[in-house]
Amino acid sequence: MKKSAKTKSNKPGFFQRVKNVFSPKSHSLSTIVWLYFTLFALAIMLFMWAIQFFFLESYYRASKIRSAEEICVEVGKEIDSPDMEDVISSLAFKNGVCIVVTDSSGNITTVENNLGRFSFLYDDVYQKYGESMYKLRSELLEGDSEIVTEFYKNNRLDSDELICASLIESSSGDTYVVYVETTIEPVTSTATIFNKQLFFVTIILVELSFIMAMIFSRRISRPITRITKTARKFGKGDMDVEFEGGDYKETQELANTLNNAKDEISKVSNLRKDLVANVSHDLRTPLTMIKAYAEMIRDLSGDNPEKRAEHINVIIEESDRLTALVNNLLELSKLESGNAELKTSQFSVHDFLNDVMKRYNILIERDGYNIELITDEDRLVTADYDKMSQVLYNFINNAVNYSGDSKDIQVKQTNKGSNVRIEIIDHGIGISKEMLPVVFDRYYRGNKTQREVVGSGIGLSIVKGILKSHELPFGVMSEEGKGSTFWFEFTNAKNTDNSDIAVEETKKKRSKQSKNR
């Protein structure tokens, strides 16, 4: 029988398991903070132990050398002082060293020994006739350095001796050599004491870090946990929740952002309800009319040409209303998705205003509206002519719809440097301060009007989308009961003085488009 092939184990390896432990996706925030805090404390402990084992002795030797050199410098400062011997005695006693001062010939001038009879310098002075001192003095006199150091093995004490020699010149020109000897004691016993202390310190610090990590992790994660619970409620449709950020700047900013998002979502939800109500009303009315007049044609006016034509005309008008509504919704969708294409051209502001105003001649003659056009000097602007006509048309229609009993409307052009400001002013019911911020939102439509307003409230949203796609400034000023002023501005306008050809081409283009319409 053939041995079956060994199947690969799906069990993760060691490194993968370690990676999973430290992966933020595998644990809560409090656990991760606790884990990192504890690891940080352990890293500090390991660093302290490493210093204790590997760097204690070298650091101790470097410290001894530095101390001996500093003593040499201190003695050199007092070499001309009458209190020099007192200073040397004090330094030798405080630091536990042996200090010897000689002249350049090696003659002893001052000796202060605090190391006892096992001192190398003591032997040199009293027994070996300056063997070590002579060697160091020669190095100073023949070399370039002002301070030299040398280590000697003290077999009787099983320790090392450090001798530091310094060449000093007095103010009178005499040369002296200062020798400082100190014992490099074995650090084993001291290290043992430090290790015991460090062991207990490590245990205490690990326990404290464990406790502090738990406290800090819970404190840090508490605002996030609270925001998460609130977000779950909000996700289930509770719009009355309030996100609280706690004491931290970042969590407070997160809470503020979520609160703003909640308000925007609530606003969109309300606007969606308004859309359903408005569009349902605007769809139901023409559909009802179409059905009613179709039944009338079938039952009553089928044999009467005049009534049949009248009823069919109503059906056609209502169908046009439905088509216009659907087209507006499609156009708004294109503008908001960024798929609307702009066909820009250069045209005259006067031609643009006059072209749009022609559409209101019937309304002026039939319904008694006074729509006044106030122009400034002509300018050439660059934009999508048809879409900007739609902007102005929507603004004027809005003024007509909400002008109330006052039927006076002004369309005003004002030149401001390279900008051309167009204002549509009515003296009707106006807009309340609470509603001003949402006038250009989708599906907004005012409640207070004295005439039947046709539309689903998306006209100003289309205007907003067109002007934003052109990157043109716009806005509204209004006071309730006194009327409103909607405005927008063409930017980078040019004078028409040197652009006669462009003006003629614009007029021809507009005339051609008018004939096509």
Side-chain angles (χ1 to χ4, degrees):
M1 292 179 63
K2 290 184 179 181
K3 291 183 179 180
S4 58
K6 291 184 179 180
T7 58
K8 267 192 175 181
S9 175
N10 293 326
K11 189 176 180 181
F14 173 76
F15 292 106
Q16 185 61 40
R17 290 198 298 271
V18 172
K19 183 178 179 181
N20 292 338
V21 169
F22 291 97
S23 174
K25 296 181 180 179
S26 306
H27 306 285
S28 64
L29 177 62
S30 59
T31 303
I32 292 297
V33 172
W34 171 82
L35 187 60
Y36 285 164
F37 196 95
T38 303
L39 287 176
F40 179 70
L42 290 175
I44 293 177
M45 292 296 101
L46 289 174
F47 180 71
M48 292 175 62
W49 279 98
I51 291 176
Q52 182 78 5
F53 279 106
F54 300 108
F55 303 106
L56 180 61
E57 185 172 354
S58 59
Y59 175 80
Y60 172 68
R61 283 177 172 266
S63 177
K64 281 288 188 177
I65 293 173
R66 187 167 54 252
S67 177
E69 291 176 348
E70 290 174 354
I71 293 172
C72 288
V73 172
E74 290 293 325
V75 173
K77 291 178 181 179
E78 304 292 334
I79 198 68
D80 293 322
S81 173
D83 300 326
M84 185 186 70
E85 292 187 1
D86 294 336
V87 171
I88 290 176
S89 298
S90 175
L91 289 172
F93 177 76
K94 288 180 180 179
N95 296 279
V97 297
C98 176
I99 302 175
V100 177
V101 180
T102 69
D103 58 19
S104 59
S105 300
N107 299 314
I108 305 296
T109 60
T110 305
V111 176
E112 190 65 41
N113 180 23
N114 270 272
L115 293 179
R117 61 189 182 89
F118 296 110
S119 167
F120 270 75
L121 292 181
Y122 178 85
D123 287 347
D124 280 351
V125 172
Y126 297 105
Q127 297 179 18
K128 296 184 180 179
Y129 305 103
E131 181 181 335
S132 302
M133 296 168 60
Y134 177 78
K135 178 182 177 184
L136 293 173
R137 186 176 75 251
S138 299
E139 290 181 14
L140 286 172
L141 295 175
E142 295 173 2
D144 297 330
S145 177
E146 294 183 356
I147 297 180
V148 295
T149 57
E150 189 74 34
F151 287 95
Y152 296 93
K153 185 67 176 178
N154 192 329
N155 294 320
R156 288 176 293 179
L157 297 179
D158 192 23
S159 65
D160 291 334
E161 301 292 325
L162 168 67
I163 300 177
C164 178
S166 175
L167 193 63
I168 296 170
E169 188 174 345
S170 67
S171 58
S172 60
D174 297 329
T175 301
Y176 295 90
V177 180
V178 178
Y179 302 90
V180 176
E181 180 188 4
T182 183
T183 301
I184 306 296
E185 298 175 358
V187 296
T188 307
S189 58
T190 305
T192 302
I193 297 173
F194 285 166
N195 290 340
K196 290 180 179 179
Q197 290 180 343
L198 190 58
F199 176 75
F200 291 111
V201 169
T202 300
I203 293 176
I204 294 172
L205 286 181
V206 168
E207 292 178 351
L208 284 176
S209 64
F210 185 85
I211 296 171
M212 295 301 293
M214 291 185 63
I215 295 173
F216 288 151
S217 63
R218 290 180 181 178
R219 183 175 179 82
I220 292 172
S221 63
R222 189 180 299 126
I224 303 295
T225 304
R226 186 165 54 243
I227 289 175
T228 303
K229 290 181 180 178
T230 307
R232 288 198 187 101
K233 293 181 181 178
F234 178 64
K236 293 179 181 179
D238 186 357
M239 296 292 181
D240 297 326
V241 297
E242 190 71 22
F243 292 94
E244 298 178 5
D247 301 328
Y248 309 114
K249 179 182 177 181
E250 291 78 6
T251 54
Q252 189 59 53
E253 289 178 353
L254 174 61
N256 293 337
T257 302
L258 290 173
N259 283 324
N260 293 334
K262 179 202 68 174
D263 295 338
E264 292 299 320
I265 292 174
S266 300
K267 187 188 299 183
V268 170
S269 178
N270 293 332
L271 291 174
R272 187 171 60 247
K273 293 177 183 177
D274 292 341
L275 168 68
V276 174
N278 291 333
V279 174
S280 298
H281 174 268
D282 290 331
L283 289 174
R284 185 168 56 247
T285 301
L287 286 174
T288 302
M289 296 284 286
I290 290 171
K291 181 180 179 181
Y293 276 87
E295 290 176 346
M296 289 176 66
I297 293 173
R298 183 192 65 188
D299 299 334
L300 301 176
S301 61
D303 298 330
N304 189 328
E306 292 182 1
K307 288 186 177 181
R308 184 172 65 247
E310 180 182 348
H311 294 164
I312 290 175
N313 189 53
V314 172
I315 291 175
I316 293 173
E317 289 178 354
E318 296 302 322
S319 298
D320 290 340
R321 287 181 62 185
L322 283 175
T323 302
L325 175 61
V326 173
N327 288 338
N328 284 340
L329 289 171
L330 290 175
E331 184 171 2
L332 179 61
S333 177
K334 285 183 179 180
L335 288 168
E336 292 184 341
S337 64
N339 294 326
E341 295 183 2
L342 297 180
K343 299 177 181 179
T344 58
S345 62
Q346 193 176 63
F347 54 85
S348 161
V349 173
H350 284 184
D351 290 346
F352 166 71
L353 295 174
N354 290 324
D355 191 21
V356 175
M357 290 298 295
K358 290 177 183 177
R359 306 183 191 182
Y360 293 94
N361 289 336
I362 296 177
L363 188 65
I364 293 171
E365 295 173 0
R366 185 186 65 190
D367 297 336
Y369 280 89
N370 178 27
I371 304 178
E372 182 183 6
L373 176 60
I374 305 171
T375 60
D376 202 340
E377 292 182 3
D378 197 10
R379 292 284 188 273
L380 286 178
V381 295
T382 302
D384 188 317
Y385 188 94
D386 292 330
K387 291 194 180 298
M388 294 308 300
S389 298
Q390 189 177 2
V391 168
L392 183 57
Y393 185 71
N394 269 287
F395 276 152
I396 296 177
N397 280 353
N398 189 74
V400 169
N401 287 338
Y402 294 97
S403 61
D405 294 333
S406 172
K407 295 186 176 183
D408 293 329
I409 298 170
Q410 287 86 41
V411 179
K412 184 178 179 182
Q413 173 199 355
T414 306
N415 297 337
K416 297 182 176 181
S418 62
N419 288 4
V420 176
R421 187 183 182 103
I422 307 297
E423 295 179 333
I424 297 85
I425 307 166
D426 70 71
H427 306 281
I429 60 177
I431 305 169
S432 65
K433 292 181 179 179
E434 293 78 13
M435 291 294 103
L436 273 177
V438 298
V439 165
F440 288 96
D441 287 346
R442 284 186 295 173
Y443 323 128
Y444 165 79
R445 185 169 65 184
N447 299 323
K448 300 177 180 178
T449 178
Q450 296 181 2
R451 68 191 301 275
E452 182 182 358
V453 179
V454 178
S456 60
I458 61 175
L460 292 180
S461 296
I462 293 175
V463 165
K464 177 182 177 181
I466 293 173
L467 292 173
K468 278 196 168 184
S469 65
H470 281 80
E471 297 183 355
L472 299 180
F474 63 96
V476 58
M477 300 175 289
S478 183
E479 187 175 348
E480 199 167 10
K482 293 186 179 181
S484 304
T485 298
F486 286 84
W487 62 270
F488 65 94
E489 289 185 3
F490 290 107
T491 56
N492 299 323
K494 299 179 181 179
N495 293 329
T496 58
D497 299 340
N498 300 322
S499 307
D500 295 335
I501 296 176
V503 172
E504 290 300 325
E505 289 179 354
T506 302
K507 288 183 178 180
K508 290 179 182 179
K509 186 177 181 181
R510 298 275 65 79
S511 176
K512 186 177 179 180
Q513 289 180 350
S514 298
K515 288 180 180 179
N516 292 336
R517 284 197 293 265

